[in-house]
Amino acid sequence: RPSPEEALQWRDSLEKLLQNTYGLASFSSFLRSEFSEENIEFWAACEDYKRTKSPVKMAEKAKKIYEEFIQTEAPKEVNIDHFTKAVTMKNLVEPSASSFDMAQKRVFALMEKDSLPRFVRSELYQELVK
């Protein structure tokens, strides 16, 4: 469990929150309670994807991420604009570590702007900073 001081830093930095195992778990749990966990799941899948070294594994993961989060009517479709979706699809012709970067940045910005302020106001977060 983080110290209240540590948890207080999360108010201003989604990056710090996501780097902390407890922060990530708390934020994910909060998003699940709001039925918006696809964003954090997509972000985490992208982080895992970027650590993949094998081109074969990378292609498999890219296809899975695309089918789960990017394609229209995907089971956990993330909210990204058409341009970002088009760029991402073009990047997947030859998957590389940066194939999902633009989409991941958009989703991160969305969580930072929308989800983080709601998380900070939540009871879950308020308990952590006491």
Side-chain angles (χ1 to χ4, degrees):
R1 192 178 161 99
S3 68
E5 295 74 30
E6 201 176 348
L8 273 171
Q9 294 180 346
W10 302 345
R11 282 188 314 206
D12 310 311
S13 173
L14 181 57
E15 224 160 81
K16 276 197 177 107
L17 184 147
L18 297 177
Q19 285 166 358
N20 181 293
T21 312
Y22 200 93
L24 177 61
S26 303
F27 191 57
S28 297
S29 168
F30 169 74
L31 291 176
R32 260 192 306 283
S33 77
E34 283 200 325
F35 304 100
S36 64
E37 69 270 21
E38 69 283 348
N39 291 331
I40 194 71
E41 288 178 13
F42 172 69
W43 180 87
C46 291
E47 288 300 293
D48 173 63
Y49 173 79
K50 286 190 277 194
R51 289 188 296 269
T52 307
K53 298 289 178 251
S54 152
V56 174
K57 280 245 184 300
M58 192 174 261
E60 285 170 9
K61 285 182 181 182
K63 183 181 188 301
K64 189 174 187 287
I65 292 171
Y66 173 76
E67 289 172 353
E68 197 170 347
F69 300 103
I70 305 288
Q71 76 182 7
T72 306
E73 302 297 316
K76 297 177 180 179
E77 189 176 358
V78 289
N79 186 2
I80 52 173
D81 57 274
H82 292 293
F83 177 73
T84 303
K85 191 179 275 197
V87 168
T88 303
M89 286 163 64
K90 193 170 143 278
N91 289 345
L92 294 177
V93 174
E94 284 182 44
S96 74
S98 61
S99 292
F100 293 101
D101 283 3
M102 183 188 255
Q104 188 183 21
K105 280 188 180 82
R106 292 276 194 277
V107 167
F108 182 91
L110 196 70
M111 289 192 296
E112 198 169 41
K113 191 171 65 71
D114 291 345
S115 310
L116 184 61
R118 286 197 307 275
F119 173 66
V120 167
R121 289 191 302 270
S122 73
E123 251 175 68
L124 179 68
Y125 179 77
Q126 294 304 320
E127 283 301 311
L128 290 173
V129 294
K130 274 186 183 162

